[in-house]
Amino acid sequence: MALLQISEPGLSTAPHQHRLAVGIDLGTTNSLVATVRNSLSVVLPDEHGRSMLPSVVRYLADGSVIVGDAAQSAQSEDPVNTILSVKRFMGRGLADVGDISRLPYRFVDASSCLPTGRQCSTEAASAKHGMVQLRTVAGVKSPVEVSAEILKVLRVRAEASLGGELTGAVITVPAYFDDAQRQATKDAAKLAGINVLRLLNEPTAAAIAYGLDNASEGVYAVYDLGGGTFDISILRLSRGIFEVLAANGDSALGGDDFDQRIHCWLLEKNQLSALNPKDTRLLLTLARAAKEQLTEHNEAHITAVLSNGAVIDNMLTEAEFHTLSQNLIQRTMQPLKRALRDAKLSVDDVKGVVMVGGATRMPQVQQAVGRFFNQTPLTNLDPDKVVALGAAIQANLLAGNRTGDDWLLLDVIPLSLGLETMGGLSEKVIPRNSTIPTARAQEFTTYKDGQTAMSLHVVQGERELVSDCRSLAKFELRGIPPMVAGAARIRVTFQVDADGLLTVAARELTSGVEAAIVVKPSYGLSDAEITRMLQDSTQFAQDDMQARARREQETEARQLMDAVQHAMAQDSDLLDQAQRADIEIQLQNLQDALSSADQQMIKRAIMALNEATVSFAQSRMDKSVKRALAGMNISDLETK
């Protein structure tokens, strides 16, 4: 039975006028995808009605990949091949990860290969640019590849829910992500087949959702404590303008660290030292559960039996947990002070504090933030969903869809960008908290007589020494006319796009020679590596196409069943006993076909149900026409 979407004359949207765009919150603990429907942003659930996708990926020996809840349930059973909190490794080298002994993974340092200093394997040697790798039964995987698996699931979910291919997505990143981490996120999206409309800072996305939902104006602070990162942003909301005044934070602080404190407490209480990966993951899982229980209860009972037979049986009270986590909370206070100082504001200037991220549910966090700002934090929007909702609003706008709200977003770059000068010093060209997109230029000169080339080293960070900043890229300007030292004039221009990604160009003004580089950070992936990964994924293209076709078939079947059942409930009087029995049989056949997940069986069942309802649809149409013409005569119709 054909289904028609009926709208008032002139109010329907032509299909070509609405582009399918989504906002994606690629989180440390959970990830979400949202879109705008009927002018409202909504989170898209999976086929089981679950909106949050655990950011967990499990690799199997046969090369298959499991993502989400099923992978999460295997985290203690297969800890080495089940990757959690991969966001903390994005754009990071082994030295950035910190104490790897507390993690159950087998790390590969791409810059020096294996941490033990042994000979590099072929797989490890192919990992360029210094980003840490993870060795699994399916081979060495980069955080970019792991994140891409999560993004693929979200893309498929969105396309199934929206019924078409996505125009693009806005993907959120922590405000304090540096250029390397942002580029790694964009690489992951490319690998997942997603066109990135923009990378958007998570606190800014939350402010968009909160501001538009509450028609707020004034200065607001967004306190974002997620699973692996912490950000604080100060924004001014005024007549549809969202202006980020300052951003600060810690990209290595989040809810995982609170779990780790409980984990260490358990080790100390039970006099345990080194644990195998399985027991480590088990205790970390129990620690997270205890943390979540203490959000609403005064105590949490932690019990477990380790692989060596040792029994864990401890009671963690709310007061003890507050003591364990106190210095972690204090670590978030310094970025708050710095952000206010950079924005040239005081605590009294802040009208409200928006809480974002699952870790902000902890009472001690809310209490500390309330004391700092002298006001109760705002929690009327779900802290787990608000970032995705805001990203969806931005995506809808960037896709070119008409919206009833006119607003402008002015975001900032979180970390200064500059060049290395003589003596290993960092000369800042674009200072932190500059509004993006932006472009700044600065002139430099030669150091020696007759110098005909210049090496440019692009760095990011707030420290004065290059050794304390993050190296982003190096390139050379050649062909400088030989002059005495200091005579040449080299203009270096930095351009930062709306994603916070950088392009650098250098030009010698007298001769006109120039060089430029699109910065691919040291810990990003090269275009060749992205190409290789895309080629590797083509071997599964056929399987992906079949899975997509099956999902589309299932969606069509469910829509048809709902429509037929609704029609039967409304106009059952139009059916005789034989017709009703035939339709009910075909409905059951279609339900059975859906349970079998056999695409061809589903297709045949759809056709059979359509055939069984043809006469019913005609009868309903006749009934509607008769109702519309009731009480009219020919002259009435002629005047219409």
Side-chain angles (χ1 to χ4, degrees):
M1 184 169 64
L3 303 178
L4 298 177
Q5 296 294 331
I6 301 175
S7 302
E8 292 294 329
L11 297 184
S12 62
T13 302
H16 68 278
Q17 291 180 330
H18 186 82
R19 297 178 176 88
L20 302 180
V22 296
I24 294 177
D25 177 8
L26 181 61
T28 304
T29 307
N30 295 291
S31 296
L32 303 94
V33 59
T35 192
V36 173
R37 282 177 170 163
N38 301 320
S39 300
L40 295 175
S41 55
V42 294
V43 172
L44 300 175
D46 64 12
E47 63 271 20
H48 302 293
R50 299 173 299 202
S51 58
M52 289 195 293
L53 174 73
S55 300
V56 184
V57 178
R58 184 187 181 194
Y59 291 95
L60 302 181
D62 61 3
S64 59
V65 182
I66 301 173
V67 181
D69 292 276
Q72 188 176 49
S73 64
Q75 59 182 318
S76 297
E77 169 194 338
D78 187 16
V80 173
N81 301 300
T82 306
I83 315 302
L84 285 76
S85 302
V86 71
K87 185 174 177 178
R88 301 193 80 161
F89 307 143
M90 291 286 276
R92 287 291 176 255
L94 191 62
D96 301 313
V97 175
D99 181 13
I100 64 173
S101 63
R102 63 185 177 86
L103 298 170
Y105 310 121
R106 293 176 294 180
F107 288 99
V108 177
D109 187 353
S111 58
S112 60
C113 294
L114 299 177
T116 59
R118 287 178 289 162
Q119 182 69 27
C120 301
S121 68
T122 302
E123 291 173 314
S126 69
K128 310 271 192 235
H129 301 291
M131 183 155 45
V132 68
Q133 314 282 301
L134 301 166
R135 190 182 300 281
T136 72
V137 291
V140 173
K141 302 294 180 181
S142 79
V144 169
E145 292 173 279
V146 179
S147 297
E149 297 295 345
I150 299 168
L151 289 170
K152 283 178 189 176
V153 172
L154 295 175
R155 173 179 61 81
V156 171
R157 176 190 298 186
E159 290 177 343
S161 297
L162 300 178
E165 188 173 343
L166 297 180
T167 296
V170 167
I171 300 179
T172 61
V173 293
Y176 225 55
F177 254 20
D178 62 27
D179 205 84
Q181 292 165 304
R182 291 168 188 268
Q183 186 62 58
T185 303
K186 208 164 187 180
D187 288 343
K190 183 177 180 180
L191 193 57
I194 297 174
N195 173 39
V196 179
L197 299 173
R198 181 165 298 174
L199 296 180
L200 182 63
N201 289 343
E202 290 166 359
T204 307
I208 291 171
Y210 184 86
L212 293 181
D213 192 63
N214 295 275
S216 302
E217 290 202 351
V219 174
Y220 283 81
V222 181
Y223 183 99
D224 183 357
L225 185 61
T229 58
F230 167 68
D231 291 314
I232 177 67
S233 292
I234 310 296
L235 302 94
R236 179 178 285 116
L237 283 58
S238 176
R239 298 182 180 181
I241 297 176
F242 292 76
E243 181 183 6
V244 182
L245 303 177
N248 214 294
D250 187 340
S251 61
L253 173 64
D256 288 354
D257 298 286
F258 290 78
D259 301 343
Q260 184 63 29
R261 288 297 165 87
I262 299 176
H263 174 257
C264 292
W265 177 82
L266 287 171
L267 295 181
E268 183 180 342
K269 279 283 186 181
N270 295 277
Q271 299 181 342
L272 300 171
S273 53
L275 298 178
N276 60 41
K278 186 173 182 178
D279 288 340
T280 297
R281 178 57 61 78
L282 173 61
L283 291 189
L284 284 170
T285 302
L286 293 173
R288 175 171 295 181
K291 177 190 69 178
E292 293 172 354
Q293 186 174 353
L294 289 170
T295 298
E296 298 180 354
H297 300 86
N298 295 327
E299 56 187 23
H301 192 196
I302 304 173
T303 60
V305 179
L306 303 183
S307 55
N308 63 1
V311 177
I312 302 294
D313 189 358
N314 298 107
M315 185 70 73
L316 178 62
T317 66
E318 183 181 25
E320 287 177 301
F321 183 41
H322 286 195
T323 301
L324 291 173
S325 59
Q326 189 59 38
N327 69 331
L328 292 176
I329 296 172
Q330 286 304 310
R331 279 177 59 184
T332 71
M333 296 296 111
Q334 288 304 315
L336 296 186
K337 295 173 183 176
R338 288 195 294 266
L340 284 172
R341 184 176 63 245
D342 290 344
K344 298 180 174 58
L345 297 171
S346 69
V347 168
D348 295 334
D349 296 318
V350 177
K351 184 178 179 180
V353 186
V354 180
M355 303 295 277
V356 180
T360 61
R361 297 181 188 276
M362 289 184 282
Q364 65 266 42
V365 173
Q366 296 189 12
Q367 292 163 10
V369 174
R371 286 193 300 268
F372 183 88
F373 287 101
N374 300 319
Q375 58 182 291
T376 302
L378 303 167
T379 56
N380 58 314
L381 289 180
D382 188 333
D384 288 316
K385 297 180 180 180
V386 64
V387 169
L389 295 174
I393 296 171
Q394 174 75 343
N396 192 56
L397 184 69
L398 294 177
N401 295 323
R402 290 180 297 176
T403 174
D405 298 304
D406 294 323
W407 54 280
L408 175 66
L409 172 61
L410 301 174
D411 213 339
V412 299
I413 186 169
L415 296 165
S416 299
L417 294 161
L419 286 175
E420 179 180 2
T421 57
M422 290 306 300
L425 297 176
S426 173
E427 177 68 21
K428 295 179 178 62
V429 177
I430 299 181
R432 72 177 187 272
N433 293 321
S434 297
T435 301
I436 57 174
T438 187
R440 299 273 181 95
Q442 195 164 324
E443 289 189 9
F444 296 83
T445 190
T446 51
Y447 179 70
K448 293 182 178 180
D449 292 343
Q451 186 175 337
T452 60
M454 178 180 286
S455 176
L456 297 106
H457 182 195
V458 184
V459 297
Q460 185 171 32
E462 306 308 316
R463 306 287 293 276
E464 296 302 319
L465 297 180
V466 167
S467 58
D468 294 324
C469 295
R470 183 169 296 280
S471 173
L472 295 183
K474 292 182 180 180
F475 68 107
E476 291 186 347
L477 176 65
R478 294 186 172 276
I480 301 172
M483 308 179 198
V484 297
R489 295 171 57 207
I490 295 104
R491 180 181 291 271
V492 181
T493 302
F494 280 52
Q495 289 185 310
V496 181
D497 64 16
D499 295 326
L501 299 177
L502 173 66
T503 301
V504 181
R507 178 184 177 89
E508 202 286 309
L509 298 182
T510 58
S511 63
V513 297
E514 58 185 337
I517 185 170
V518 176
V519 174
K520 295 286 286 189
S522 302
Y523 293 158
L525 292 180
S526 68
D527 289 335
E529 286 173 311
I530 290 291
T531 301
R532 175 186 60 78
M533 292 177 184
L534 289 171
Q535 289 173 343
D536 290 344
S537 69
T538 58
Q539 62 180 306
F540 302 110
Q542 189 63 34
D543 293 338
D544 292 343
M545 289 175 61
Q546 291 175 353
R548 180 189 177 97
R550 183 170 62 250
R551 180 66 63 86
E552 290 174 345
Q553 200 86 67
E554 291 171 353
T555 301
E556 180 185 352
R558 291 191 175 91
Q559 289 177 330
L560 177 60
M561 290 174 64
D562 290 343
V564 171
Q565 289 167 347
H566 179 71
M568 290 177 68
Q570 280 193 328
D571 296 310
S572 58
D573 57 304
L574 300 177
L575 294 169
D576 59 32
Q577 189 172 354
Q579 288 175 318
R580 180 190 299 278
D582 186 23
I583 292 175
E584 288 177 347
I585 289 172
Q586 298 307 329
L587 279 169
Q588 185 59 51
N589 289 342
L590 183 51
Q591 182 64 56
D592 293 341
L594 280 172
S595 301
S596 73
D598 185 318
Q599 185 179 343
Q600 291 303 316
M601 185 182 295
I602 295 172
K603 184 176 181 179
R604 290 193 296 269
I606 288 174
M607 293 175 62
L609 181 55
N610 270 321
E611 291 174 3
T613 57
V614 169
S615 61
F616 181 34
Q618 292 173 343
S619 299
R620 294 191 75 214
M621 182 64 74
D622 292 342
K623 180 179 178 180
S624 298
V625 172
K626 289 178 182 178
R627 185 166 55 242
L629 298 180
M632 293 186 180
N633 54 42
I634 296 298
S635 60
D636 292 332
L637 295 174
E638 289 175 346
T639 59
K640 289 189 175 293

